[in-house]
Amino acid sequence: MPDGALPVLDVRDLKTVFKTRGGEVHAVNDVSFELRPGELLGVVGESGSGKSVTMMSLLGLLPSPPANVRGGQVTFDGRDLLKVNPDELRSVRGAKIGFIFQDPMTSLNPVFTVGNQIMEPLRKHMGLNKREAAVRAQELLELVGIPDAARRLLDYPHQFSGGMRQRVMIAIALACDPQVLIADEPTTALDVTIQAQILELMKELRSKLGMAVIWITHDLGVIAGIADRVMVMYAGQVVEHAPVEELFQNPQHPYTRALLKTIPTISGERAARLTIIEGQPPIMMAPPNACAFRDRCDVAFERCAQENPPRYDVGHGHDAACFFDARTGVPRDV
Amino acid sequence: HEGERGRDGEVKIIYWQAPSILNPYLSGGTKELEAASLIIEPLARYDTDGNLVAWLAEEVPTVANGGVSEDLKTITWKLKPGLVWSDGTPLTSEDVKFSWEYCTAEGGGCAQGEKYLDVVSVDTPDELTAVVNFSVAKPFPYGPFVGAQAPIIQKAQFADCMGPKAPECTDENFGPIGTGPFVVTDFRTNDVFTAVANENYREAGKPAFASVTFKGGGDAAAAGRAVHETGEYDYAWNLQLAPDVLAGMAEAGLGQNVAAFGTSVERILLNQTNVDPALGDQRGVIGNPHPFLTDKSVRQAMSMAIDRALLTEIGYGEFGRLTCNVLPAPAIFASDANDSCLVQDIEGAKGVLEAAGWTDTDGDGFRDKDGIKLSVLYQTSTNAVRQDYQALIKQWWEEIGVETELRNIDASVFFGSDPGSPDTFQKFFADVEMFTNNFDGTDPEAYMAGWTCDQAPQPSNQWQGNNMPRFCSEEYDALRAEMAVTGDINERARLAKAMNDILMQEYIILPLTHRGRNSAHAVSLGGVALNVWDSELWNIADWYRIPG
Amino acid sequence: MLTYTLRRLLLSIPTLLFIAFVIFMLLELAPGDPMASMPLTIPPEVKEKMREALGLGRPWYVRFPLWLNQFFIVEPQYWFDQTFGTNFANGAQRIISFQSRSPVFDTIAERMPQTLWVVGMSYVVGVLIALPIGIISAYKQYSVFDQAGTFVSMIGFSVPPFFSGVLLIVVFSVQLKWLPSIYDTTHVVTGWDSFVFQLRQMVMPVMVLALQTTAQVSRYMRASMLDNLGQDYVRTARAKGMSESVVVMKHVLRNSMLPVITVIALGIPAIFGGAIITEQIFKVNGLGQLLITALQGSDIPMVMTITFLLAVLIVMMNLIADVLYGILDPRIRYD
Amino acid sequence: MTDLTNVEMEVVEKPRSQWRDVWDQFKTHKGAVAGLSFLIFITLFAAVGPFLWDVDPGRLDIRNKDVRPIYMGLFDSSAKVSWANPMGTDNLGRDIMANIMQGGRISLAVGWTAMVLAVVLGTTIGVLAGYFKRLDGLLMRFTDLVLALPLLPLLLVMMLLFRDPLRAAFGPETGIFLLIVAGIGITSWMQTARIVRGDVMALKEREFVLAARSIGTPARRMITRHLLPNVLSPIMVSATLGLATAIITESALSFLGLGFPSDFPTWGKILFDSVDRMTSFPERVIWPGLAISLTVLAVNYIGDGLRDALDPRIRGH
Amino acid sequence: MFDGPKPLVSVKDLKMHFPIYAGFFRRRVGEVKAVDGVSFDIVEGETLGLVGESGCGKSTCGRAVLRLYDITSGSISIDDREIGATPQSDLRTMRPTMQMVFQDPQASLNPRMTVEAIIKEPLDEHTALTEAEKREKVGELMDAVGLNRKFAKRYPHAFSGGQRQRIGIARALALNPKFIVCDEPIAALDVSIQAQVVNLLEDLQEKFGLTYLFISHDLSMVRHIATRVAVMYLGKVVELAPREALYRDPLHPYTKALLSAVPEPDPSLATAKERIILQGDVPSPSNPPNGCNFCTRCPSVMDICTKVEPDYREVQPGRYTACHLYNDTAG
Ligand SMILES: Nc1ncnc2c1ncn2[C@@H]1O[C@H](COP(=O)(O)OP(=O)(O)OP(=O)(O)O)[C@@H](O)[C@H]1O
Ligand SMILES: Nc1ncnc2c1ncn2[C@@H]1O[C@H](COP(=O)(O)OP(=O)(O)OP(=O)(O)O)[C@@H](O)[C@H]1O
Ligand SMILES: [Mg+2]
Ligand SMILES: [Mg+2]
């Protein structure tokens, strides 16, 4: 792992709120992380924990209103993406940072051909003419493993199966050789056999193209197979962050631990009964001034209700936002 | 206003009802007659005073000048020599004869058939002479070939369009060749037509205008606006608008209103038969008398309650005159025996009803007697002025204790004679109805004949006939019979007046307003002489542009 | 797609025949009389003769097949004869108007230019104004523009043309004398000046009619845009770095137009028949005025033919809307 | 925790009725509230107004004709104004205020009834066509047919066939009212039917309909319970447009001479009758014109507000 | 075939073909063979897992078994009643015995009905209880599925996914069914919630003696809940076996690939595991390949596979599969 290298993307204290009728939803609260060249950062967390919002905030993709990026900085290429003008931001989107969305069924425009949609960023960012763009689009489709690419360029999204559509999305994201690829649950909507195909493809492409990837999912199995480092989010905050083996072997945050326990495995022991995390995720209507997980936590104590825990470094590039030290089994003092 | 033909450029005429055809024999509508009068002409026509003037004929034949035979059975017309059609061919008595043949041909559906009634033959002793033979003595022999309704059409053009083939001759019907001042260049049915000056027109230097645009459609207000306020048009026909509206338009100063009075009378008819729907197919049949309108005092009271002066002022202003006759003109036919109607007398009306025993016994505000309530259904066609009349009259009648329900019916239904429709003015399935009627030309015989008993629309005659009130009076019928055989004009006038007085004094017909025809022309248009006895455009050849 | 279209075409034949029958019976029952516009001075016997000459006496089961024959066989033959100089029609009786005694189709053809110029143009103008209003209203939802758009379009929708038309005339023709109040149907465009005149005489009727179209279409456009602006593919386009104009005008617009095109297509028959009042006010004398004068004159062949043509237009537009939808939306397959 | 709170906890959470929620949501829509206020005002004006302003709208007072509205007195001292006729009088001296009130009664009644008729017809046909595949073709052809029917001859025929029986049964006013309402209603349901049909077809594929089928819900309740509530919002849109169209169609009928008898003022007819004198008496077109436009606008906003308020997803908690 | 207790549900050669209409006169030109000859039994009290890729016909199968569709052919008997050909109207009386829990808890709840109304609907349809009794029963059901009774008047949108699925389950339970088809009841839920629902289903099964047909594409979850598992591919069951046997030793190549594709939430295992990556996509059910349906993607395809359709046979006691690989050994 190129640990010492300068991060390509450095996110500090990102804060995003949504203004809704019922009040402000604090969807992302002081999220910080960095992405190093060539690595794959996995982001896990349950639904609504702010994974997608975090990533979309980086590129200003949230509809505003209601979204409002309140603060923080996102350093990419020496610039703060939150401050650059819209045109500059657009020259980053799609060109230097590629984005793959969760639902391949709806993320492609149904009325344009697949080729057209792949060629769009090529023509805009790389200044290719129609012919060159078409050639490159065909290469891209071949790259993501779609047979008969030249002909399929002329097809419409609905003529593709779900897995193929997701490959098209990947091709679009890769079109301009981005330095960073953000994949927001790219396989959640797919079958396991297709998911396996995509994961395989991703591994291959990464070794070929060498870009840095952020991979959002809530499937720990996927993370285990693909990520270098993992970031666990809960209620708009990063609660734990560690290299992948470290996280699975040595989970620090009670949420991570619970999560690892709830999922049944296909090869391990079959539990008589699944462990569950009681309760519901919190509604993030106020900025956190206490641990968001405390109501569902089995080790919570008074302090958890009074302060929001910072991210404590536990060594090995591992940190966790919990007042309770899992290794020692006692609350931290400081 | 002398000079060469066509010197004044274009004249623009707007009729808010568009002509659908230029053959008056196939459509009796005023708009068609008047449009056609630019193109085709009769042998004689009426002037602005209702006098006959020779047109294509040398002179008007009379008994005095020997043109009409002593037995009143033949009339001999002499054409002006040298007349040519607009295509340059000469006009002959053959064309005159043909016009008669055309209109009376079987299956042609000629709208002017009545003009040629009783004509047995037309002889053409020479090129310029046409002799019309009648089967009966005609005290008034000026039906055929006289007036805008019975012009001369060209035999050469229409020879193949006789009878059932008449409707198929679209080109001919849309562009008849004529002797008139203009020649059609483009005719668009129900929309517009354009015509240019007839190079072969008989009078040198006429018409002054080189072309005419005759536009149709819209409504009277828009037509008035186009002449008075925007100046886009030179002449607007028949502006049936409320007087204050017209006056308002005239303030703009571009146009000027002209009016003339003919025989049109807005009248109310009082039904003498019972039209209760419960009667089924016996509705409106003579023999089922109306429950209360057969009572003369009720009819009289209803007449007395009406303020004709106010109605006329509101509805027609200076374009309406007061009248107490259904036959108001020409002057020699106008009776003065009924002038008491001119003043409204609400109290008097109440008194008449009171005296006849019509009192409000149940306190609902309306009079009744023997369980019969004075409650009338008052129908007319849909038209703004008529609805104002209805509103006013309703108010007065209700004041004297006659309940009034108003109904207005679309003109195409009301004036139609579809035997299947209950809403026609002839069926008269209402107690009271109102409309305007008049008669053509100057002779009232046919008009007055409309109120004889046998003219009552009945199921037996498929509801045809003009005696809508179903009025039956032996005295009246006798007068009518006498008139049919009377030739002397003064005697005829006496008879007509007597018949008029019966209708008035029986209060079968309540005349409301003697309506004038009012049109408007641009102040820059000279030579206009509004004529209600014939086509309004009768003298368009004399029109000219006033420079300035 | 082709077979779908053909199948729908075939199916529309019985529908149209049935519609024709219903219209015919409706007119048969309607109380109008073609003689009603004749002066009262024409005596009843003469009117009766005229009525006979029009063929009015015959029962409906004779006249309906006759009309069908004339409409579907004789008229196309005439049309064919005229174009190719053949003689299939062989003098057969065409559909003749009661009022003008001329072939109904000739009159209709005569009315087409002004109908297309004014009514057609107003629709085009109305739609062209409506689309940007709808787009901007949706893109800037709840902005002042959006609110004002709603307000103005509802007012426009609710003002009857007999009022707005006269108001325009009073202002622009009477007071300002800028524009003619009466449409000249004989005007032919030959050069620049006559073109300008044509424009001037079209402005007011077109505006009055366009107001109604704009009001409705912009509402649909707004709703459709709003639906699509929230879709995932919009986010994808933004993530590709596309500019806002491309995102809105290419990606969103194309999708939003799909349902709106249907609305637009289905609105066409309504506007042809529904321009009656406006045509009357400005004396455009197009199809609407033809229909209303025919109705008032109980010109049954004319009314029958025009309403039936409108019915054909309605059925065809339905079909076209569906087919168009299928063509424009790659997801839809009709086979 | 005490027992008491426990007991309270058990009570079903229902301190507020559903309609309270709807109302609360509705209140947040400013346009809707303004619209509702105006609609209430204009309805009261038309319904209750005649009791307070006790002038017979049909009474002619020729001496007091062409009275200008009262505000004219402010900037034109020579104007003929009178407190007895605050909105002025027409060319026959009828009080305009009384006429607008009476006209409002009729116009609103025509608008609402025709709209309800059209919506009921449209919804019924739309739901039937959308739900029962067998009926679809037939009903949609029928819709095409009605779309193709010309309104004018239809009304003429209806007048011919039904006027006398209706007049006999309901009296002249109600009779013609029913005819016109039926005429407008019968010729304006087609759009609603199409939209509803489309939505029902889409809803039919939704899982909750399948869920209802798995329970054994019969077609009738499937429609009333599951489909209708979910097509409420397009119906609402049609309804608001329908009300406007009905009021306007009625005025167009007056233009064509097929409307109410002349002594029956409606907004459309007052407007139409006043157009000729628009320049000299602008108020005569402004009053009815404003009444129509503002009513249409009000109903439109109410429709927007109701649509939001009736949707539990938007209403939230 | 079965030595154990009598099956509660018995499906024989079930076919559900959706017609495709095309051409000039909307003729039926073909059909989507969504379910094409499926047979299985479910014993009272057991859970049969049904797994397979998206679009292979799992939901259709589940719905067809409950006769939510009018099936093309085959026989279905539930609780000793043959319902394969019964008309819909007569099925009404059978509905209480068989119920369904749907995949998408959001979509399967009418957004305009309150929770109480949703759960009460089956009671309205099939019982003659008074309003108060019904309300009480709804309360009990809400307790049973772990929903707070307080929320009875709320609308579905006000609940989280897991809670919504509980509403769906409560509705299914309302009529005391014997047999419930769970059509991917957890697919739309969050991982942390999935376990709650699965545990609930298990509890209810224990409490009420329910029988489940549990449809899912989550193999790990099926492993947890099912007693026997059927694997579907393109409208057909390719393998059916008791849970342990299937996961330990899958027979059919498709089952093998499927199991190997499941990601392991353990990085050490994940890298060690040998994956079988299938090539290509599932063929269209309207135009399945000749021979074995899986022949287009099968890693161990043989000549015969593209020509002859393999029989669905019991190859080991209690284990059924349809694959030519096992024809020799067994036959
Ligand atoms: N447009 C919006 N308006 C209000 N709140 C929003 C909006 N979009 C997202 N949120 C809130 O932001 C929070 C984070 O959402 P986000 O989509 O990032 O979650 P996620 O972790 O990506 O979940 P999932 O796994 O379901 O995709 C959620 O609580 C959501 O309710
Ligand atoms: N009503 C229908 N009409 C036509 N085809 C249908 C219909 N319902 C389903 N199908 C088709 O039947 C096949 C099987 O669908 P089904 O929904 O049963 O799959 P599934 O295995 O449940 O998939 P998923 O995991 O995505 O729910 C699919 O190809 C689908 O397109
Ligand atoms: Mg997300
Ligand atoms: Mg499914």
Side-chain angles (χ1 to χ4, degrees), chain B residues 167 189 191 215 232 412 417, chain C residues 33 51 101 111 181 285 296:
Chain B
T189 179
D191 178 12
K215 172 83 178 179
E232 288 166 86
S412 70
S417 41
Chain C
D33 176 10
R51 221 176 261 122
R101 308 300 183 89
R111 298 305 177 99
S181 70
N285 297 353
Q296 280 164 349

Side-chain angles (χ1 to χ4, degrees), chain E residues 15 44 60 102 151 158 190 212 236 241 266 280 286 298 318 326:
Chain E
K15 287 189 180 157
E44 187 145 10
T60 308
F102 290 87
F151 300 152
D190 205 70
Y212 290 139
K236 293 199 158 110
D266 184 339
S286 58
C298 185
Y326 302 95

Side-chain angles (χ1 to χ4, degrees), chain C residues 298-311:
Chain C
S298 297
D299 187 350
I300 294 170
M302 183 68 88
V303 177
M304 177 75 206
T305 309
I306 298 178
T307 32
F308 184 67
L309 284 178
L310 285 179

